[in-house]
Short mmCIF file of all heavy atoms in Angstrom, two decimals:
data_model
loop_
_atom_site.label_atom_id
_atom_site.label_comp_id
_atom_site.label_asym_id
_atom_site.label_seq_id
_atom_site.Cartn_x
_atom_site.Cartn_y
_atom_site.Cartn_z
N CYS A 1 -1.05 -5.15 -4.30
CA CYS A 1 -2.39 -5.55 -3.83
C CYS A 1 -2.89 -4.58 -2.71
O CYS A 1 -2.15 -4.19 -1.88
CB CYS A 1 -2.35 -6.98 -3.24
SG CYS A 1 -1.92 -8.26 -4.40
N PRO A 2 -4.17 -4.31 -2.82
CA PRO A 2 -4.81 -3.40 -1.68
C PRO A 2 -5.04 -4.37 -0.53
O PRO A 2 -5.74 -5.43 -0.67
CB PRO A 2 -6.11 -2.90 -2.34
CG PRO A 2 -6.41 -3.90 -3.45
CD PRO A 2 -5.14 -4.52 -3.91
N LEU A 3 -4.41 -4.07 0.56
CA LEU A 3 -4.54 -4.96 1.80
C LEU A 3 -5.48 -4.25 2.83
O LEU A 3 -5.41 -3.07 3.00
CB LEU A 3 -3.24 -5.18 2.36
CG LEU A 3 -2.10 -5.69 1.52
CD1 LEU A 3 -0.77 -5.76 2.22
CD2 LEU A 3 -2.47 -7.11 0.93
N THR A 4 -6.17 -5.07 3.53
CA THR A 4 -6.95 -4.64 4.74
C THR A 4 -6.44 -5.36 5.90
O THR A 4 -6.34 -6.65 5.86
CB THR A 4 -8.49 -4.92 4.54
OG1 THR A 4 -8.96 -4.27 3.35
CG2 THR A 4 -9.31 -4.49 5.78
N VAL A 5 -6.05 -4.64 6.92
CA VAL A 5 -5.46 -5.25 8.14
C VAL A 5 -6.38 -4.97 9.28
O VAL A 5 -6.65 -3.81 9.58
CB VAL A 5 -4.04 -4.70 8.44
CG1 VAL A 5 -3.46 -5.40 9.68
CG2 VAL A 5 -3.13 -4.85 7.22
N ARG A 6 -6.90 -6.04 9.87
CA ARG A 6 -7.76 -5.92 11.07
C ARG A 6 -7.03 -6.36 12.30
O ARG A 6 -6.44 -7.45 12.30
CB ARG A 6 -9.03 -6.68 10.89
CG ARG A 6 -9.99 -6.24 9.87
CD ARG A 6 -11.12 -7.19 9.62
NE ARG A 6 -12.20 -6.79 8.79
CZ ARG A 6 -12.15 -6.35 7.55
NH1 ARG A 6 -10.99 -6.17 6.95
NH2 ARG A 6 -13.19 -5.94 6.88
N MET A 7 -6.93 -5.49 13.35
CA MET A 7 -6.20 -5.76 14.54
C MET A 7 -7.09 -5.63 15.74
O MET A 7 -7.83 -4.66 15.91
CB MET A 7 -5.01 -4.74 14.72
CG MET A 7 -4.04 -4.83 13.58
SD MET A 7 -2.85 -3.45 13.59
CE MET A 7 -3.86 -2.09 13.15
N GLU A 8 -7.05 -6.70 16.49
CA GLU A 8 -7.81 -6.70 17.75
C GLU A 8 -6.97 -7.42 18.81
O GLU A 8 -6.82 -8.59 18.73
CB GLU A 8 -9.19 -7.49 17.59
CG GLU A 8 -10.09 -7.20 18.78
CD GLU A 8 -11.53 -7.61 18.49
OE1 GLU A 8 -11.85 -7.83 17.44
OE2 GLU A 8 -12.25 -7.62 19.49
N GLY A 9 -6.38 -6.62 19.74
CA GLY A 9 -5.51 -7.15 20.72
C GLY A 9 -4.20 -7.76 19.97
O GLY A 9 -3.60 -7.01 19.25
N GLU A 10 -3.93 -8.95 20.27
CA GLU A 10 -2.75 -9.62 19.67
C GLU A 10 -3.09 -10.26 18.27
O GLU A 10 -2.19 -10.69 17.58
CB GLU A 10 -2.25 -10.80 20.57
CG GLU A 10 -1.79 -10.28 21.96
CD GLU A 10 -0.44 -9.56 21.87
OE1 GLU A 10 0.41 -10.02 21.13
OE2 GLU A 10 -0.31 -8.55 22.47
N GLN A 11 -4.38 -10.28 17.96
CA GLN A 11 -4.80 -10.89 16.70
C GLN A 11 -4.70 -9.95 15.52
O GLN A 11 -5.21 -8.73 15.57
CB GLN A 11 -6.28 -11.37 16.78
CG GLN A 11 -6.48 -12.45 17.78
CD GLN A 11 -5.89 -13.74 17.46
OE1 GLN A 11 -5.70 -14.07 16.33
NE2 GLN A 11 -5.42 -14.56 18.42
N ILE A 12 -4.07 -10.39 14.42
CA ILE A 12 -3.96 -9.62 13.17
C ILE A 12 -4.47 -10.45 12.06
O ILE A 12 -3.98 -11.59 11.89
CB ILE A 12 -2.52 -9.21 12.89
CG1 ILE A 12 -2.01 -8.33 14.07
CG2 ILE A 12 -2.41 -8.52 11.61
CD1 ILE A 12 -0.56 -7.92 13.99
N GLU A 13 -5.35 -9.86 11.36
CA GLU A 13 -5.92 -10.60 10.15
C GLU A 13 -5.74 -9.73 8.94
O GLU A 13 -6.03 -8.55 8.91
CB GLU A 13 -7.46 -10.77 10.35
CG GLU A 13 -8.07 -11.48 9.18
CD GLU A 13 -9.61 -11.47 9.32
OE1 GLU A 13 -10.14 -11.86 10.42
OE2 GLU A 13 -10.30 -11.12 8.39
N VAL A 14 -5.09 -10.28 7.90
CA VAL A 14 -4.75 -9.65 6.67
C VAL A 14 -5.58 -10.19 5.56
O VAL A 14 -5.71 -11.45 5.39
CB VAL A 14 -3.35 -9.79 6.29
CG1 VAL A 14 -2.97 -9.03 4.97
CG2 VAL A 14 -2.41 -9.18 7.44
N SER A 15 -6.26 -9.34 4.80
CA SER A 15 -6.99 -9.79 3.54
C SER A 15 -6.68 -8.95 2.37
O SER A 15 -6.13 -7.81 2.55
CB SER A 15 -8.51 -9.74 3.86
OG SER A 15 -8.90 -8.45 4.13
N GLY A 16 -6.89 -9.45 1.14
CA GLY A 16 -6.62 -8.75 -0.04
C GLY A 16 -5.29 -9.09 -0.72
O GLY A 16 -5.05 -8.83 -1.82
N ASN A 17 -4.44 -9.76 0.03
CA ASN A 17 -3.16 -10.28 -0.46
C ASN A 17 -3.37 -11.44 -1.40
O ASN A 17 -4.17 -12.32 -1.15
CB ASN A 17 -2.18 -10.57 0.60
CG ASN A 17 -2.64 -11.64 1.60
OD1 ASN A 17 -3.67 -11.42 2.20
ND2 ASN A 17 -1.87 -12.68 1.78
N THR A 18 -2.50 -11.50 -2.48
CA THR A 18 -2.60 -12.70 -3.37
C THR A 18 -1.39 -13.58 -3.13
O THR A 18 -1.30 -14.68 -3.79
CB THR A 18 -2.56 -12.21 -4.82
OG1 THR A 18 -1.38 -11.44 -5.08
CG2 THR A 18 -3.83 -11.44 -5.13
N CYS A 19 -0.44 -13.20 -2.24
CA CYS A 19 0.69 -14.08 -1.88
C CYS A 19 1.02 -13.92 -0.46
O CYS A 19 0.66 -12.99 0.23
CB CYS A 19 1.90 -13.86 -2.85
SG CYS A 19 2.71 -12.29 -2.69
N LYS A 20 1.94 -14.80 0.04
CA LYS A 20 2.43 -14.72 1.41
C LYS A 20 3.20 -13.48 1.72
O LYS A 20 3.12 -12.93 2.82
CB LYS A 20 3.26 -16.00 1.64
CG LYS A 20 3.87 -16.04 3.04
CD LYS A 20 2.92 -16.49 4.14
CE LYS A 20 3.68 -16.83 5.39
NZ LYS A 20 3.26 -15.92 6.45
N ARG A 21 3.88 -12.94 0.71
CA ARG A 21 4.63 -11.72 0.93
C ARG A 21 3.71 -10.60 1.37
O ARG A 21 4.11 -9.73 2.18
CB ARG A 21 5.39 -11.29 -0.31
CG ARG A 21 6.66 -12.21 -0.55
CD ARG A 21 7.39 -11.79 -1.73
NE ARG A 21 6.68 -12.18 -2.98
CZ ARG A 21 7.14 -11.97 -4.12
NH1 ARG A 21 8.27 -11.41 -4.35
NH2 ARG A 21 6.34 -12.35 -5.23
N GLY A 22 2.52 -10.49 0.85
CA GLY A 22 1.60 -9.47 1.23
C GLY A 22 1.22 -9.56 2.70
O GLY A 22 1.20 -8.54 3.42
N GLU A 23 0.93 -10.73 3.14
CA GLU A 23 0.62 -10.94 4.54
C GLU A 23 1.82 -10.50 5.50
O GLU A 23 1.63 -9.83 6.44
CB GLU A 23 0.26 -12.36 4.93
CG GLU A 23 -0.18 -12.64 6.28
CD GLU A 23 -0.54 -14.06 6.61
OE1 GLU A 23 -0.57 -14.89 5.65
OE2 GLU A 23 -0.89 -14.37 7.73
N ASP A 24 3.03 -10.95 5.04
CA ASP A 24 4.26 -10.64 5.83
C ASP A 24 4.46 -9.18 5.88
O ASP A 24 4.78 -8.57 6.98
CB ASP A 24 5.46 -11.37 5.22
CG ASP A 24 5.40 -12.88 5.42
OD1 ASP A 24 4.60 -13.34 6.22
OD2 ASP A 24 6.10 -13.55 4.66
N TYR A 25 4.30 -8.48 4.73
CA TYR A 25 4.46 -7.06 4.61
C TYR A 25 3.48 -6.34 5.57
O TYR A 25 3.92 -5.45 6.32
CB TYR A 25 4.33 -6.61 3.17
CG TYR A 25 4.21 -5.04 3.11
CD1 TYR A 25 5.29 -4.20 3.33
CD2 TYR A 25 2.93 -4.48 2.91
CE1 TYR A 25 5.13 -2.86 3.28
CE2 TYR A 25 2.74 -3.07 2.93
CZ TYR A 25 3.85 -2.28 3.09
OH TYR A 25 3.76 -0.95 3.01
N ALA A 26 2.27 -6.72 5.51
CA ALA A 26 1.20 -6.03 6.28
C ALA A 26 1.48 -6.18 7.75
O ALA A 26 1.44 -5.16 8.50
CB ALA A 26 -0.15 -6.61 5.94
N LYS A 27 1.84 -7.37 8.21
CA LYS A 27 2.12 -7.54 9.63
C LYS A 27 3.30 -6.73 10.10
O LYS A 27 3.31 -6.05 11.16
CB LYS A 27 2.30 -9.01 9.95
CG LYS A 27 1.02 -9.80 9.87
CD LYS A 27 1.20 -11.28 10.18
CE LYS A 27 -0.12 -12.05 10.16
NZ LYS A 27 0.06 -13.49 10.37
N LYS A 28 4.37 -6.75 9.28
CA LYS A 28 5.53 -6.00 9.64
C LYS A 28 5.24 -4.46 9.66
O LYS A 28 5.67 -3.77 10.57
CB LYS A 28 6.72 -6.28 8.63
CG LYS A 28 7.98 -5.54 8.97
CD LYS A 28 9.13 -5.80 8.08
CE LYS A 28 10.26 -5.02 8.40
NZ LYS A 28 11.37 -5.11 7.43
N GLU A 29 4.46 -4.01 8.75
CA GLU A 29 4.14 -2.55 8.59
C GLU A 29 3.25 -2.09 9.77
O GLU A 29 3.50 -0.96 10.25
CB GLU A 29 3.39 -2.27 7.27
CG GLU A 29 3.14 -0.83 6.99
CD GLU A 29 4.37 0.09 6.92
OE1 GLU A 29 5.47 -0.41 6.67
OE2 GLU A 29 4.21 1.29 7.08
N VAL A 30 2.39 -2.92 10.30
CA VAL A 30 1.65 -2.42 11.47
C VAL A 30 2.32 -2.66 12.78
O VAL A 30 2.05 -1.86 13.72
CB VAL A 30 0.14 -3.06 11.43
CG1 VAL A 30 -0.56 -2.63 10.19
CG2 VAL A 30 0.18 -4.55 11.59
N LEU A 31 3.21 -3.60 12.88
CA LEU A 31 3.84 -3.92 14.14
C LEU A 31 5.20 -3.26 14.22
O LEU A 31 5.51 -2.69 15.28
CB LEU A 31 3.98 -5.46 14.35
CG LEU A 31 2.74 -6.22 14.45
CD1 LEU A 31 3.03 -7.76 14.44
CD2 LEU A 31 1.95 -5.86 15.65
N HIS A 32 5.99 -3.23 13.24
CA HIS A 32 7.35 -2.73 13.23
C HIS A 32 7.69 -2.09 11.98
O HIS A 32 8.51 -2.60 11.18
CB HIS A 32 8.34 -3.86 13.53
CG HIS A 32 8.09 -4.59 14.76
ND1 HIS A 32 8.21 -4.20 16.04
CD2 HIS A 32 7.59 -5.91 14.85
CE1 HIS A 32 7.86 -5.07 16.92
NE2 HIS A 32 7.44 -6.15 16.23
N PRO A 33 7.10 -0.93 11.67
CA PRO A 33 7.41 -0.21 10.37
C PRO A 33 8.84 0.13 10.25
O PRO A 33 9.45 0.60 11.25
CB PRO A 33 6.43 1.07 10.34
CG PRO A 33 6.13 1.22 11.89
CD PRO A 33 6.24 -0.11 12.51
N ALA A 34 9.43 -0.08 9.04
CA ALA A 34 10.83 0.23 8.81
C ALA A 34 10.96 0.70 7.38
O ALA A 34 10.14 0.44 6.49
CB ALA A 34 11.65 -1.07 9.03
N ARG A 35 11.99 1.49 7.14
CA ARG A 35 12.30 2.02 5.86
C ARG A 35 13.83 2.00 5.54
O ARG A 35 14.63 2.06 6.43
CB ARG A 35 11.85 3.59 5.82
CG ARG A 35 10.38 3.81 6.09
CD ARG A 35 9.57 3.28 4.97
NE ARG A 35 8.13 3.61 5.15
CZ ARG A 35 7.27 2.79 5.74
NH1 ARG A 35 7.64 1.65 6.32
NH2 ARG A 35 6.00 3.21 5.88
N THR A 36 14.08 1.95 4.19
CA THR A 36 15.44 2.14 3.76
C THR A 36 15.58 3.61 3.48
O THR A 36 14.70 4.23 2.89
CB THR A 36 15.67 1.38 2.45
OG1 THR A 36 15.54 -0.03 2.69
CG2 THR A 36 17.05 1.64 1.92
N VAL A 37 16.71 4.22 3.97
CA VAL A 37 16.94 5.65 3.91
C VAL A 37 18.04 5.90 2.78
O VAL A 37 19.02 5.23 2.77
CB VAL A 37 17.33 6.26 5.18
CG1 VAL A 37 17.71 7.75 5.06
CG2 VAL A 37 16.24 6.09 6.24
#
């Protein structure tokens, strides 16, 4: 899914996701990005 993440201060709004995993992924990616190496 194409996601749009809007951040203002502590507020994070995610749109475009069709499931809860999309919201969780977007928040983690903007706050604490991580990768498997």
Side-chain angles (χ1 to χ4, degrees):
C1 297
L3 306 175
T4 301
V5 183
R6 290 172 171 57
M7 299 170 287
E8 190 164 353
E10 298 287 317
Q11 297 292 331
I12 298 175
E13 178 187 311
V14 179
S15 60
N17 56 303
T18 57
C19 67
K20 176 78 169 116
R21 286 183 286 183
E23 181 179 359
D24 294 343
Y25 166 74
K27 287 180 178 179
K28 182 178 178 188
E29 183 63 19
V30 298
L31 295 175
H32 306 287
R35 300 291 184 268
T36 299
V37 173

